[in-house]
Amino acid sequence: MSALPGEEQKVHRGKKSKNGGGSKVYHFRQPVPIPSYLLALAVGDLAGQDVSPRCRIYTEPSVLEAAAFEFSQTEDFLKAAEDLTGIEYPWTRYDLLVLPPSFP
């Protein structure tokens, strides 16, 4: 669950529920078990761009175009992994978060 004050925007796929007090509350359901290191939470000035029907890049607006170009072959790599293993990718999305170079 996450709560956002006022008019803040979300970039996750949570389902919104009503909440009093002017904040928005989102609930998540992850039907495929994952280890905690595969989960990322980021707050900031983020923009997103699809690089394929199931892959999206999130990053700062100033580097979005470069990041989308850098990861434009992500769908090809997913398909190659599916072909090599014979296993379909189990999640519906493969989204990437590109962090600023000064990230501590």
Side-chain angles (χ1 to χ4, degrees), residues 16-50:
K16 184 178 176 183
S17 64
K18 293 183 179 181
N19 186 40
S23 64
K24 301 172 189 174
V25 176
Y26 296 87
H27 296 270
F28 301 90
R29 183 178 172 281
Q30 175 60 42
V32 180
I34 62 170
S36 60
Y37 67 85
L38 291 179
L39 176 70
L41 299 175
V43 176
D45 184 14
L46 298 174
Q49 180 177 325
D50 288 331

Side-chain angles (χ1 to χ4, degrees), residues 4-82:
L4 299 173
E7 296 302 315
E8 297 294 322
Q9 297 295 315
K10 71 165 181 90
V11 293
H12 52 69
R13 304 244 181 248
K15 299 213 184 259
K16 184 178 176 183
S17 64
K18 293 183 179 181
N19 186 40
S23 64
K24 301 172 189 174
V25 176
Y26 296 87
H27 296 270
F28 301 90
R29 183 178 172 281
Q30 175 60 42
V32 180
I34 62 170
S36 60
Y37 67 85
L38 291 179
L39 176 70
L41 299 175
V43 176
D45 184 14
L46 298 174
Q49 180 177 325
D50 288 331
V51 293
S52 77
R54 62 181 173 169
C55 301
R56 186 170 181 88
I57 302 294
Y58 293 100
T59 190
E60 296 173 315
S62 63
V63 295
L64 180 59
E65 187 176 330
F69 174 77
E70 189 69 31
F71 292 101
S72 62
Q73 293 179 312
T74 302
E75 181 67 31
D76 297 335
F77 289 122
L78 278 176
K79 287 180 181 174
E82 290 172 332

